[in-house]
Amino acid sequence: MQSPFRRGSYAGAIALPSPGLPNSRSARRLPPLTPCRENVNGDVVHGASIFAPAGAPADAIQTLSLFVLAITGIIFVIVGGLMVYCLVRYRRRSDDDGREPPQVYGSNPVELAWTVVPIIIVFVLTTTAIRSTYEIQAAPPPPDSLQVRVVGHQWWWEFQYPALGVITANELHIPVSDPAHPTPTYLTLESADVAHSFWVPRLAGKTDVIPNRRNIMWLAPAQSGTYVGQCAEFCGTQHAKMLLRVVVHPADDFARWVQAQRQPAARNPGAEAGRQVFEATACVSCHAVRGTGASGTFGPDLTHLMSRETIGAGAAQNDLANLRDWVEDPNRLKPGVLMPAMQLTQPQLDQVVSYLASLR
Ligand code: CUA
């Protein structure tokens, strides 16, 4: 009998708009990375350009970068221009007599100029860089700011909201921050294994995620939508598929998201068989489903799995066909992934996928 989860029958049930490529297997699986498209929720998906900052830290970094680029650009043009001029104007000619040109020594004004001008330039560049660094690094969190603990794993992101009782993975949800009344989100970054780096180019600079160390960063996006990012420190075979998304909500939307995430896992009588298979296999030693016996912490919390757009940390769209592929053999979508294939029979596979699909 044809399984309801086989590719084809449900393909497109949660499909995203075509990324403009042929609707091949691989094309359909790619998470949207192109700028400003709409995702399933109708949110705008923003690209990953460092030239389009969308929040306070990224704005400050861009302003500083353009300032440094302008000053160094002017120096480059002056020095390069003079050099080219001299090379052309004073090149060797056929009627050269081979004598040295007149030499200039001990000009106080010239020596003063080439000492003082570089000192001023270095001073200006240093102080503006220190000021921007200080503004970004030392900004104290407002008392009611949202705090999120980010844990980097090979190869996925864990997001814990200790004050809200929410744990999720790979897709960080935060409220929008109105520049007039900023409500920044503060991230504490830790690693469970090797060094990673948290980078969402449009929202902030990179911050390394290092074992046995806590780094801090903050985000204050001024515009809602989904921002894509990527682990930016080589962390093993699937470093390239350690993608991340930041979903920025208007305040009331964010409150609704938190409310939904706080609920224990939905209990669906139609998915009981799958729950039993799931709980009887080693799935539960790595994954947690709140409100059930599953309490593993090695892999992502699956309590509200279907609220996420992607699986495998952005390796594939979260639709039923991909989910089935993933559970059957995660290596197909993400070679080297630490989740093993559980060797389920085809009926068990359908039951487990049906259970996972009920975790909304
Ligand atoms: Cu984690 Cu690269």
Side-chain angles (χ1 to χ4, degrees):
M1 199 189 101
Q2 172 78 13
S3 147
F5 301 122
R6 284 205 202 273
R7 185 168 298 287
S9 58
Y10 271 71
I14 315 181
L16 293 168
S18 156
L21 294 165
N23 193 21
S24 70
R25 237 170 113 105
S26 57
R28 200 173 60 76
R29 278 175 180 161
L30 290 171
L33 288 172
T34 43
C36 292
R37 295 185 32 249
E38 295 207 341
N39 69 357
V40 264
N41 305 320
D43 296 332
V44 171
V45 179
H46 301 284
S49 171
I50 55 167
F51 299 106
D59 277 336
I61 291 168
Q62 196 199 38
T63 307
L64 175 66
S65 310
L66 293 181
F67 178 72
V68 172
L69 194 66
I71 291 193
T72 49
I74 292 168
I75 295 172
F76 175 79
V77 168
I78 293 175
V79 173
L82 283 174
M83 216 169 88
V84 169
Y85 172 78
C86 291
L87 284 172
V88 173
R89 174 83 175 74
Y90 301 107
R91 67 190 185 278
R92 177 191 278 266
R93 291 165 208 254
S94 52
D95 58 348
D96 272 352
D97 55 13
R99 277 186 302 138
E100 252 191 7
Q103 301 294 300
V104 180
Y105 299 101
S107 165
N108 284 340
V110 171
E111 284 175 12
L112 208 61
W114 74 45
T115 308
V116 172
V117 171
I119 287 176
I120 291 173
I121 293 171
V122 169
F123 180 76
V124 168
L125 289 179
T126 309
T127 46
T128 41
I130 289 174
R131 207 184 108 204
S132 299
T133 309
Y134 187 78
E135 271 174 14
I136 294 169
Q137 304 271 30
D144 55 348
S145 67
L146 175 63
Q147 302 273 348
V148 183
R149 181 167 176 248
V150 177
V151 185
H153 297 258
Q154 281 178 319
W155 292 278
W156 60 282
W157 301 96
E158 180 178 359
F159 300 122
Q160 304 175 356
Y161 301 67
L164 303 176
V166 169
I167 297 181
T168 185
N170 302 322
E171 295 173 15
L172 173 66
H173 290 250
I174 62 172
V176 76
S177 177
D178 176 4
H181 308 278
T183 47
T185 300
Y186 274 74
L187 309 179
T188 308
L189 304 138
E190 293 164 56
S191 169
D193 36 51
V194 300
H196 305 273
S197 186
F198 186 97
W199 191 32
V200 184
R202 291 198 59 194
L203 300 185
K206 293 170 191 168
T207 305
D208 282 354
V209 180
I210 299 166
N212 302 315
R213 189 187 155 84
R214 244 174 229 179
N215 281 339
I216 306 281
M217 71 183 288
W218 54 280
L219 306 173
Q223 206 191 333
S224 60
T226 299
Y227 297 85
V228 292
Q230 159 83 55
C231 176
E233 177 82 43
F234 181 72
C235 55
T237 50
Q238 282 303 304
H239 157 68
K241 282 188 182 155
M242 188 164 166
L243 303 167
L244 66 111
R245 294 167 167 252
V246 178
V247 184
V248 178
H249 299 272
D252 48 344
D253 261 16
F254 179 69
R256 269 196 293 279
W257 179 83
V258 169
Q259 204 45 45
Q261 294 289 316
R262 287 167 72 115
Q263 305 302 318
R267 212 47 189 266
N268 180 342
E272 266 312 284
R275 187 177 67 80
Q276 282 165 16
V277 176
F278 181 86
E279 289 180 7
T281 59
C283 306
V284 292
S285 37
C286 289
H287 293 288
V289 179
R290 249 172 308 128
T292 76
S295 58
T297 54
F298 192 68
D301 185 301
L302 301 179
T303 311
H304 298 286
L305 171 67
M306 297 316 285
S307 70
R308 295 179 209 145
E309 281 176 44
T310 61
I311 51 175
Q317 299 298 345
N318 187 6
D319 61 34
L320 294 180
N322 282 338
L323 202 53
R324 190 178 196 281
D325 254 11
W326 176 264
V327 177
E328 188 172 27
D329 183 4
N331 265 277
R332 259 187 239 149
L333 291 169
K334 196 166 174 176
V337 64
L338 299 184
M339 172 169 158
M342 299 310 297
Q343 315 297 343
L344 300 174
T345 63
Q346 294 296 315
Q348 283 178 327
L349 193 55
D350 290 340
Q351 287 165 345
V352 167
V353 173
S354 163
Y355 171 58
L356 294 177
S358 75
L359 299 174
R360 303 216 152 257

